[in-house]
Amino acid sequence: MIRLQHLHKSYLVGGSEVPALTDINLAIEPGEIFGIIGHSGAGKSTLLRCINLLERPTEGQVLVGGTDLTALPLEELQAWRRKIGMIFQHFNLLSSATVQDNIAFPLRLAKRPKAEIERRVSELIQLVGLEEHRSKYPAQLSGGQKQRVGIARALAAEPKVLLCDEATSALDPQTTASILALLRDINRRFGLTIVLITHEMQVIRSVCDRLAVIQDGQIVESGPVLDVFLRPQHPTTKEFIEQVEDSAELRDAVQREKAAGNRNIVRITFIGDKTYEPVLYETMRETDTSFAILQGTISRMKDTPYGQLVVNLNGTPEQVDETVRLLRSRGVEVETL
Ligand SMILES: Nc1ncnc2c1ncn2[C@@H]1O[C@H](COP(=O)(O)OP(=O)(O)OP(=O)(O)O)[C@@H](O)[C@H]1O
Ligand SMILES: [Mg+2]
């Protein structure tokens, strides 16, 4: 759906070119939710704005649905932009317009017939659950309600792609969850491709199919969310994953155990249905080993449940080896810490 090829972007600052993006290559497939995570100043917003050419790349190509947007004359580019909706951290609503007028705005701009606009606005208001607020002004709404208006407005022209620039960063965790649920619902119902940028791993974990990690204007790691979570390579990725896992506490526990002479500390990861099966218990019984739990979590990546246990295995070296071998053969990941 979206292909970024050898994308470079520099800004002219005080007469000299400062690079903001360096050789970005990304392929985002139709209907997926693709997350881009990075620290402040990494280049996330610049990258997102290059997708609809709000920011013109210095070099490289932006292909959307096979069309190279960088090569289009302005008029055609504007037609394409209507197929790419966008939502923002601070909502960017018209403060002097009501909810329904905010949503109708892009349709009026596109000079759609009045009856069609009315019908479409009603549909959208219902979709985002703002029926009781349609005549209110943005100042009379909560943050979550404002973002719902933003989403409805972005969907008004029936886009193929929705770009989300830190769309939940100004919201509390509960409201964030409800907005993410709405985005997932829209993604499923309409097959809408969503590109979502954030600095929160929690957001990536709960809705994205794949992600890319951006650092100093470069993609340093990318892949399916589950793979990147289980086998992060880049230090920045590891740092982001620590946001959602209590690794400081775990590090202390592992150090304590090692100091006490325990060498058989392993992290066991169960993915999918395995999470709820008694694989560990049965294996330990077979090899006649026991274990002490140092840490354990059951969590969810989008639709996939996964569990992680950090345990200290008690047994002879042979028993421990056999346990690890059996667990692996039963589709469980085992990593020695
Ligand atoms: N219009 C501009 N002119 C000059 N430099 C800019 C401009 N916009 C962004 N930059 C620079 O480009 C780099 C990337 O900025 P960008 O806004 O894309 O980062 P970001 O990852 O979205 O950060 P944040 O999480 O704080 O929103 C930064 O160093 C920033 O200072
Ligand atoms: Mg930004």
Side-chain angles (χ1 to χ4, degrees):
M1 187 73 211
I2 301 169
R3 295 264 180 290
L4 304 180
Q5 293 173 341
H6 302 296
L7 202 77
H8 291 256
K9 172 72 191 177
S10 309
Y11 288 110
L12 207 55
V13 183
S16 56
E17 299 240 314
V18 180
L21 296 176
T22 312
D23 198 21
I24 302 284
N25 293 286
L26 267 187
I28 298 169
E29 303 306 330
E32 77 173 331
I33 306 187
F34 194 95
I36 298 170
I37 189 165
H39 292 299
S40 184
K44 303 183 294 296
S45 297
T46 304
L47 178 54
L48 202 70
R49 291 163 60 84
C50 278
I51 295 177
N52 57 8
L53 257 59
L54 280 179
E55 211 66 79
R56 200 163 262 279
T58 317
E59 246 181 79
Q61 277 156 0
V62 179
L63 290 108
V64 180
T67 305
D68 182 359
L69 300 193
T70 57
L72 291 182
L74 190 63
E75 217 166 283
E76 284 178 48
L77 174 61
Q78 269 158 357
W80 257 104
R81 277 201 186 126
R82 265 179 241 129
K83 296 182 194 164
I84 307 176
M86 192 162 181
I87 57 173
F88 308 88
Q89 178 174 3
H90 298 295
F91 323 118
N92 297 14
L93 302 179
L94 300 167
S95 59
S96 61
T98 60
V99 166
Q100 52 193 353
D101 287 340
N102 264 284
I103 299 171
F105 185 71
L107 297 170
R108 293 201 178 117
L109 214 60
K111 301 202 167 57
R112 299 278 188 89
K114 201 161 173 258
E116 184 198 318
I117 296 179
E118 269 173 32
R119 182 182 50 76
R120 184 82 186 122
V121 168
S122 290
E123 268 171 26
L124 288 160
I125 285 180
Q126 198 180 4
L127 176 74
V128 300
L130 289 177
E131 293 93 333
E132 282 145 46
H133 307 281
R134 57 186 302 155
S135 303
K136 288 189 181 167
Y137 290 89
Q140 298 169 299
L141 301 176
S142 71
Q145 289 163 345
K146 283 183 206 168
Q147 195 57 288
R148 284 170 188 272
V149 180
I151 291 170
R153 182 184 57 182
L155 295 180
E158 298 181 63
K160 303 276 179 253
V161 175
L162 180 65
L163 307 177
C164 311
D165 189 344
E166 301 272 5
T168 56
S169 297
L171 306 175
D172 63 55
Q174 210 181 340
T175 313
T176 292
S178 78
I179 292 296
L180 292 177
L182 177 61
L183 290 176
R184 284 193 59 174
D185 179 45
I186 292 164
N187 161 258
R188 275 205 213 121
R189 274 214 250 175
F190 309 117
L192 187 74
T193 307
I194 298 182
V195 187
L196 184 156
I197 66 178
T198 181
H199 58 271
E200 290 173 298
M201 209 52 165
Q202 182 56 40
V203 169
I204 301 270
R205 183 169 71 172
S206 59
V207 293
C208 293
D209 300 298
R210 293 193 302 142
L211 84 156
V213 182
I214 183 170
Q215 164 96 344
D216 297 330
Q218 284 176 295
I219 307 273
V220 294
E221 185 159 4
S222 64
V225 173
L226 196 66
D227 290 359
V228 173
F229 254 86
L230 297 180
R231 285 172 287 271
Q233 305 295 320
H234 194 275
T236 306
T237 315
K238 292 180 185 169
E239 201 183 298
F240 277 119
I241 290 175
E242 286 188 3
Q243 285 180 351
V244 288
E245 286 172 1
D246 201 352
S247 359
E249 197 183 309
L250 177 63
R251 255 197 312 271
D252 289 349
V254 170
Q255 254 156 23
R256 254 197 326 274
E257 288 296 316
K258 285 193 172 162
N262 295 325
R263 290 279 171 269
N264 302 321
I265 303 163
V266 293
R267 186 204 311 271
I268 303 173
T269 305
F270 309 87
I271 301 165
D273 294 339
K274 287 264 180 322
T275 310
Y276 304 113
E277 289 170 13
V279 186
L280 184 61
Y281 174 71
E282 279 167 8
T283 306
M284 298 292 200
R285 221 167 46 163
E286 276 172 54
T287 58
D288 200 23
T289 46
S290 65
F291 63 95
I293 298 176
L294 303 183
Q295 194 191 48
T297 51
I298 289 188
S299 195
R300 193 169 270 278
M301 261 173 238
K302 203 167 183 184
D303 300 317
T304 312
Y306 76 104
Q308 282 193 320
L309 273 183
V310 177
V311 301
N312 189 14
L313 299 173
N314 301 311
T316 65
E318 292 75 24
Q319 282 175 313
V320 169
D321 286 350
E322 180 62 2
T323 306
V324 170
R325 195 189 63 74
L326 275 174
L327 284 171
R328 287 191 174 136
S329 75
R330 288 166 185 174
V332 173
E333 304 224 359
V334 186
E335 179 196 355
T336 306
L337 299 182

